[in-house]
Structure formats: structure tokens, C-alpha cells
């Protein structure tokens, strides 16, 4: 397989994966819909940082340990499930503790609009999801030509995923921002966080009970 063919083929696979609604989509939409554009971009770049890390580790052969060691996979799986469940419970509980309105209630529900906070959330969410690592272990090597430098080609393919993910996230942020005016009511914001928290909680349960 030629390198150019590998890039286009991998782009098709991860492009379809990127368009599939999931945890990343829920986090980006929720953050942007609450008017936290700076934090939303932090979440996006945090997610892509995690993706690039998984790609680099796979290219080095490190993530093969996840498939070779059941214990390593289980530890990461339960850590990821616990983190997502904690995020979901905190998100939902804050909507009940917040006041009837005003700036304090808004901050409690939406979180501070800082890039660093969003980046931490996006990075942890991605890195603590072992299924992302398993996906890269199973898929990435198939698109690396035998004659190509393994690590450089792996990073090149992963970069395609990062670019597509960032572009799609930009579309999500723009769409959510356009609806932001309808979510200025603190009650609407609380409903949004409760729905998103429930979705994240379901992802946590699915990760915990999954094979």
C-alpha cells in the first residue's frame, strides 16, 4: 500500500468515526452551548492531545500492552469509568446546588470559561478511555506500509485524525454557539447539564460493564 493511499484510506475510516456521535461530541456541544467558547476549544484541543498521544504510543508499540495485559486494560477501564461517573455526578449535582439565577449559578453550572480547564477535561476524558487505545492498536498498523518509517507514518496518520476531529469540532462549536442565545435562561442551562451529565453517566456505565 502506497503512503498516499494509506492516508486517504485512514482518513475515510477516522472521518466516519469522527462523525459518529459520542462522548467527545457531547462534551464539546455542552460546553459551547453554555457560551464557554474558550473552554470548548480547550476541550477540543485536549481531546486531540489525547488522540495524538494514543497514536504516538501505538506507533512505539506501547499500547499493545493494553491488548496483551488484561490487568492493564482493566485498570485503565475502571479508572476511565470512575472519572466519567465523577464528572457526570458533579455536573448534575451542581444544577441542584446552584442558586435560582445570577452569575454564581451560571458559573456553577457551566464551569469557568478557561482554556486550561477545558484542555484538562478533554485530555483526561480521551486518555482514560482504553477503547481509544485498543482502536489504535487494532487499526493504525494496518495502514502503515511495510517500507514506511513506522513511527513517522503513525504520527502522520494520527495527525489526519486530529485535523478531521478539530474541523468537525469547529462545526459543532459554531452550531452550538448559534443556539446559545436560547440557553441564557439559567433553567435551560440546568436542563442541558442534567441531560449531558446523564449521557456521560451512561458512557461511564457502558465502559464499566463492557467487555
Amino acid at each position: 500500500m502506497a503512503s498516499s493511499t494509506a492516508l486517504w484510506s485512514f482518513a475515510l475510516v477516522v472521518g466516519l468515526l469522527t462523525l459518529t456521535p459520542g462522548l467527545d461530541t457531547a462534551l464539546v456541544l455542552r460546553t459551547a452551548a453554555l457560551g464557554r467558547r474558550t473552554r470548548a476549544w480547550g476541550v477540543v484541543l485536549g481531546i486531540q492531545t489525547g488522540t495524538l498521544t494514543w497514536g504516538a504510543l501505538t506507533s512505539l508499540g506501547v499500547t499493545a500492552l493494553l491488548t496483551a495485559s488484561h490487568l492493564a486494560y482493566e485498570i485503565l477501564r475502571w479508572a476511565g469509568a470512575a472519572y466519567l461517573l465523577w464528572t457526570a455526578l458533579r455536573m448534575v449535582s451542581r444544577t441542584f446546588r446552584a442558586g435560582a439565577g445570577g452569575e454564581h449559578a451560571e458559573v456553577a453550572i457551566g464551569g469557568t470559561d478557561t482554556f486550561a480547564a477545558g484542555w484538562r477535561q478533554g485530555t483526561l476524558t480521551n486518555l482514560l478511555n482504553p477503547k481509544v487505545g485498543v482502536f489504535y492498536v487494532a487499526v493504525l498498523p494496518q495502514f502503515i506500509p511495510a517500507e514506511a518509517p513506522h513511527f513517522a507514518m503513525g504520527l502522520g496518520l494520527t495527525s489526519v485524525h486530529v485535523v478531521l476531529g478539530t474541523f468537525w469540532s469547529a462545526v459543532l462549536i459554531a452550531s452550538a454557539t448559534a443556539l446559545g442565545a436560547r440557553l441564557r435562561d439559567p433553567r435551560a442551562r440546568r436542563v442541558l447539564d442534567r441531560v449531558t451529565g446523564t449521557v456521560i453517566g451512561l458512557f461511564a456505565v457502558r465502559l464499566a460493564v463492557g467487555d
Side-chain angles (χ1 to χ4, degrees):
M1 181 187 298
S3 296
S4 58
T5 302
L7 286 171
W8 284 109
S9 300
F10 187 74
L12 177 61
V13 172
V14 296
L16 293 174
L17 179 65
T18 299
L19 293 175
T20 303
L23 177 59
D24 294 348
T25 302
L27 284 176
V28 173
L29 283 176
R30 173 256 179 183
T31 307
L34 290 175
R36 311 298 188 191
R37 285 179 60 87
T38 301
R39 185 184 178 107
W41 275 110
V43 171
V44 170
L45 295 183
I47 291 170
Q48 302 315 322
T49 297
T51 299
L52 190 60
T53 301
W54 280 119
L57 292 176
T58 300
S59 300
L60 290 171
V62 176
T63 48
L65 293 173
L66 287 177
T67 55
S69 172
H70 180 71
L71 178 60
Y73 178 84
E74 286 297 302
I75 290 174
L76 188 58
R77 181 168 71 90
W78 281 106
Y83 171 73
L84 291 179
L85 185 60
W86 173 75
T87 299
L89 291 175
R90 187 179 63 167
M91 190 178 295
V92 174
S93 65
R94 281 182 174 180
T95 65
F96 293 100
R97 294 200 306 266
E103 182 178 354
H104 294 294
E106 183 176 320
V107 171
I109 297 170
T112 56
D113 188 20
T114 64
F115 180 89
W119 183 84
R120 286 194 300 270
Q121 184 180 29
T123 302
L124 284 173
T125 299
N126 190 284
L127 290 180
L128 289 177
N129 186 352
K131 293 187 177 181
V132 179
V134 172
F135 168 81
Y136 265 86
V137 169
V139 175
L140 188 64
Q142 301 181 35
F143 291 90
I144 300 179
E147 69 280 1
H150 197 276
F151 183 70
M153 188 65 187
L155 285 184
L157 292 171
T158 305
S159 297
V160 171
H161 193 183
V162 169
V163 170
L164 291 176
T166 302
F167 176 78
W168 178 239
S169 295
V171 174
L172 294 177
I173 290 175
S175 301
T177 301
L179 298 174
R182 300 182 181 181
L183 296 172
R184 290 176 182 171
D185 183 355
R187 287 176 295 181
R189 292 173 181 245
R190 285 193 288 271
V191 170
L192 177 63
D193 256 24
R194 288 170 188 173
V195 171
T196 307
T198 300
V199 171
I200 293 175
L202 291 175
F203 273 106
V205 173
R206 182 179 177 183
L207 183 59
V209 302
D211 296 329

